[in-house]
Each structure stands twice: as structure tokens, then as C-alpha cells.
Amino acid sequence: MDKTNETLKNLLDANLYSRYSGLLSLSNISLQLIDTNGQILLEFNPSPDFCKFICQEDEARICSDYISKLEPGKKLRFNCRYGLANMLLPVEINNQTIGYVVGAQVYSTDSEYQKYLIDINELAKEKELAPEFIAKSIAAIRTIEENKIGIHEQICNHITQNISYDFSQSINTADKAIARLSIEKEMLEKKIIDLEAKNMSLLINPHFLFNTLNSIARIAYFEKSHTTEELIYCLSDLLRYNLKQDDELHTIGAEIDNIEKYLYIQKIRFKNRLEYDIDIADNIKPYRIPNMIIQPVVENALIHGITPKRDGGKIKITAEKYKNDINISVMDNGNGFPKEVLQSLHDSENKLGIGFRSTDNRLKRYFGENYGLKIAKSDYSGSTVTISIPTKPNARR
């Protein structure tokens, strides 16, 4: 790794994702932070599956169309070989480019016709993928009006400037909190202009809720109620993530970030009765999983494992990659699932097991019968539930 890319990686912190991802969650247009060699360091909003699994030679590195256009200090908007609109925004410190913010990866209304010119069978042969998977990936690429792509680009340009500022300044805790509030307010106002034009009736309630939460957080900050402030931000981010309500694949990293906020809130509630540990390697976080798969399993561990115990307990989340599969384990040291709950999981008429079966069925619909949820253990010493997914979403073929 060269010195420039090492500098960028060292500057990344755990809060960078949550600081900016919420601002883009309603748009659902892709946005990533890459180094000067094209390695993806952080996904704010994931790329379409077509870009991720077909165009990119490596899931951790941006596609060759981007690589060929990386040039220090150069800001660019271009269409790739398949006609998707893309943007490239340099992240600079002291006039030196240390990375790029890239994204969009959508069709404009003028270029949408190009999706129908893609030779699916030829591409399937070249990439050794199922034609059905490629066809579905192409169909899932969004088409956005040109003026809305422009608005997204302006917002991303502003975020790029703020990332550059964050990296180039040693900001104390108070300055960072105020800066985040200001950025939230400005970004939300810009998103409102775009989203109100699309569907005002769907925007009013989330808009009111997020602005109210931010106002309360600002008051909590100035009253030095830092725990309250952090709780409000966690709740706000949770609501944004859950409001996506899409059926696309998300990164494991994004899911885990959501779980950490959920457990943080529960930790405040249960205090010493709840401990948790999340051990997910960085090389596993870029892999994809359907939205809101892990959270219901963690919630089950809390409800059936930790809550019934007088002294509480601990939840641990781990993941491992074996060949072409990933197994995510959610473990607790509670008393195990009650017998009626275990029986309900196998009884399609019993409402107690609906959530578990629904999550299992979603995984099987995506990846095939070999994948899903499994209760690996449930006894007096605790429970372990495993979530199995393939490293490639076309593993079902």
C-alpha cells in the first residue's frame, strides 16, 4: 500500500459511515469511498448487483471504467460502457488527492435504452454466470431523471468536501457534534427538495420525525446530555435504515452497523443485564445479505435468551467464510428457546414462529434451499442461531 492510500485508511474511523450514510439513505443511489488504486474502503450506499458482481473483477475494487479515469484532482461525470451514469469526486488534503467518492450507477431517462442493448447470453458466457441472474441484475438498475441525478451529485460533492475537511482538521468533540448537526440539516433540506417532487405524501412524516429528532439532539448536546444525544442519533439512524423497505441486498457491514445501534439502545435500557460482542472481520463486511435479516435473530436472542434471566446475559455475533459460503452466528448464554417456541418454528399455523420462518424463507428465495436460518444449539447454556448465505448472490443457479 502506498503512502497516500495508507494515510486515507488511517483517517477512516468507525463514525464516518454513520455520519454520512443517513443523509443518503432515502435516495438509495450508490455511493462509495475508494482509495487512489480503486479499492473500496467504505460503502455508504451499495452498488447495484450488476456493477458489483458483473462489471467489477473484484468485489473489493471498483470497475475498470472507473480505474481508467482516476486522475488526481479531476472531478468527472461520465457514462460507462453499459450507459450507466457515474460520478467521480476527489477527496483532497492540502491539494493532494488521497481518495475519491464515487457512485450514482443509474440510468438516466435518456440512456435507459442502452440496458436493452446488452447481450445477456454473451455476458453470461464471458462471466460464467447464469443468464437469469444477469437479466435480473440489469432489470434492477434504477432509472433516474436527469435533474435528480444532478441533485444527488451536488449533495455528494458537498459530502466529499466535508469528508476532506474532516480528514484535514483535528476537530475536537464539540466541533464535530455541531458540524454533524449542521450537515444533517443542510443535507436533509436538499433531499426534501428532491423527494417532495417525487412523492410529498410519503415524505412529510419522516421529514418531520428526523428534524424533530435532530432538534432534540441539539438541545441534548448543549445541555451536555451526551448519552441522550447519542441515543437520539442511534434511533434516527435505525429509523432511516428501516425506512428503506427495499428488497435489495445490503452489505453485511451495513447490517452490522444497524445492529450495533440497536444493541447500544438496548444496553442503555438493560444496563448491566446486557453485554454484547460483535466480531466480524473486515473482509466479510462487503458481502451482501438481504435487508433486516440479522436484527430479528438478535432480537430473538434478547427476548428469549437474555430477558428471562434475572442477571441477564451476553449476546455474541461472529461470522466466518468457508469456501463459497458465509456463516453468521448469533449466540447467547441464556436459557435456550422455550419448548413452545421451538415447536412453533416447525408449525406453519403457529404465529409464534412466523418471524423466524419468514426470515428463513426470504434467504431461501434469494439463495436457494441450501441457505437460511438454523438453530445450531438451544439448551440450558444458551442458544446459537446460524445464518448461512453464499458469497455470490447467483449461487442458487
Side-chain angles (χ1 to χ4, degrees):
M1 179 184 292
D2 62 40
K3 189 173 181 181
T4 300
N5 291 332
E6 189 174 358
T7 299
L8 178 58
K9 192 165 186 179
N10 289 338
L11 285 169
L12 292 176
D13 63 67
N15 295 320
L16 188 63
Y17 177 89
S18 59
R19 194 179 305 147
Y20 296 106
S21 63
L23 307 176
L24 293 159
S25 61
L26 292 176
S27 73
N28 206 23
I29 296 178
S30 73
L31 191 75
Q32 297 95 37
L33 177 66
I34 65 171
D35 66 18
T36 55
N37 290 328
Q39 291 294 124
I40 300 172
L41 302 178
L42 187 62
E43 283 192 319
F44 294 105
N45 278 344
S47 300
D49 287 346
F50 180 80
C51 300
K52 190 80 171 179
F53 300 107
I54 298 169
C55 297
Q56 294 175 205
E57 297 296 330
D58 181 347
E59 289 178 31
R61 193 167 189 243
I62 208 72
C63 75
S64 58
D65 281 24
Y66 268 113
I67 301 295
S68 66
K69 292 177 171 58
L70 295 181
E71 185 177 327
K74 186 177 181 181
K75 183 190 302 184
L76 185 64
R77 165 89 176 270
F78 68 95
N79 285 357
C80 72
R81 75 188 81 171
Y82 297 110
L84 278 74
N86 293 268
M87 62 183 184
L88 181 67
L89 305 169
V91 177
E92 298 183 317
I93 295 180
N94 298 326
N95 296 320
Q96 179 185 10
T97 300
I98 64 167
Y100 301 87
V101 169
V102 301
Q105 297 173 310
V106 295
Y107 282 112
S108 68
T109 49
D110 292 335
S111 65
E112 183 183 23
Y113 73 92
Q114 294 189 51
K115 73 162 63 173
Y116 305 108
L117 302 179
I118 299 174
D119 190 331
I120 294 175
N121 290 325
E122 183 63 29
L123 198 55
K125 184 178 179 181
E126 177 188 343
K127 299 294 182 178
E128 297 183 350
L129 295 171
E132 295 83 1
F133 171 70
I134 294 179
K136 288 179 181 179
S137 299
I138 293 172
I141 299 173
R142 300 181 65 194
T143 299
I144 307 293
E145 294 175 10
E146 182 62 35
N147 65 321
K148 293 182 179 179
I149 297 176
I151 292 173
H152 180 76
E153 185 176 9
Q154 291 174 28
I155 294 172
C156 293
N157 186 57
H158 190 75
I159 289 177
T160 303
Q161 292 172 4
N162 276 280
I163 290 175
S164 297
Y165 180 78
D166 281 349
F167 285 168
S168 62
Q169 301 292 322
S170 295
I171 305 173
N172 60 38
T173 304
D175 287 341
K176 288 174 78 173
I178 294 171
R180 181 179 175 183
L181 287 169
S182 299
I183 294 168
E184 281 270 352
K185 182 177 181 294
E186 186 171 350
M187 293 301 103
L188 284 171
E189 286 174 351
K190 288 185 177 181
K191 288 306 304 169
I192 288 164
I193 295 172
D194 182 23
L195 294 172
E196 279 182 344
K198 183 178 180 181
N199 195 333
M200 186 173 179
S201 64
L202 293 178
L203 178 66
I204 292 174
N205 286 339
H207 170 216
F208 172 76
L209 178 59
F210 295 145
N211 272 356
T212 301
L213 286 172
N214 283 329
S215 297
I216 297 170
R218 182 184 288 270
I219 294 169
Y221 167 73
F222 285 113
E223 291 181 348
K224 302 188 183 302
S225 302
H226 298 304
T227 301
T228 304
E229 178 194 10
E230 191 60 31
L231 273 172
I232 292 167
Y233 281 132
C234 284
L235 177 59
S236 181
D237 289 342
L238 275 174
L239 290 170
R240 282 194 185 92
Y241 191 82
N242 294 344
L243 274 173
K244 287 181 179 181
Q245 293 295 325
D246 55 37
D247 205 31
E248 296 179 7
L249 298 176
H250 294 237
T251 63
I252 291 175
E255 282 282 296
I256 291 301
D257 185 70
N258 191 53
I259 295 298
E260 285 184 308
K261 292 180 174 67
Y262 170 78
L263 286 173
Y264 176 82
I265 293 172
Q266 295 290 11
K267 172 69 174 175
I268 298 298
R269 175 188 173 192
F270 289 100
K271 297 183 174 61
N272 294 334
R273 292 187 62 224
L274 172 63
E275 299 294 333
Y276 63 88
D277 179 33
I278 299 177
D279 184 15
I280 308 290
D282 288 340
N283 66 318
I284 288 178
K285 290 180 180 179
Y287 290 105
R288 305 300 188 89
I289 191 170
N291 187 27
M292 294 296 290
I293 287 291
I294 306 174
Q295 194 272 340
V297 179
V298 174
E299 189 170 18
N300 265 331
L302 183 65
I303 293 172
H304 298 299
I306 306 303
T307 305
K309 292 185 68 176
R310 179 179 178 181
D311 297 327
K314 183 175 182 178
I315 294 174
K316 184 172 183 179
I317 305 171
T318 63
E320 61 178 359
K321 180 176 179 289
Y322 179 72
K323 295 184 179 179
N324 294 321
D325 293 342
I326 291 175
N327 291 315
I328 301 168
S329 297
V330 178
M331 299 167 276
D332 68 74
N333 61 350
N335 297 322
F337 287 97
K339 287 184 179 180
E340 62 272 17
V341 173
L342 285 173
Q343 291 172 354
S344 73
L345 299 180
H346 305 288
D347 182 1
S348 59
E349 300 299 322
N350 195 314
K351 292 183 179 180
L352 281 175
I354 287 177
F356 191 96
R357 290 195 303 274
S358 174
T359 303
D360 183 53
N361 288 336
R362 282 184 66 204
L363 289 167
K364 285 177 166 51
R365 271 201 314 273
Y366 265 105
F367 305 125
E369 292 297 320
N370 293 331
Y371 302 97
L373 296 188
K374 179 183 177 183
I375 299 178
K377 169 194 157 187
S378 182
D379 57 32
Y380 66 90
S381 64
S383 300
T384 300
V385 176
T386 59
I387 303 167
S388 59
I389 61 172
T391 57
K392 296 273 189 180
N394 58 311
R396 188 173 183 173
R397 59 183 173 146

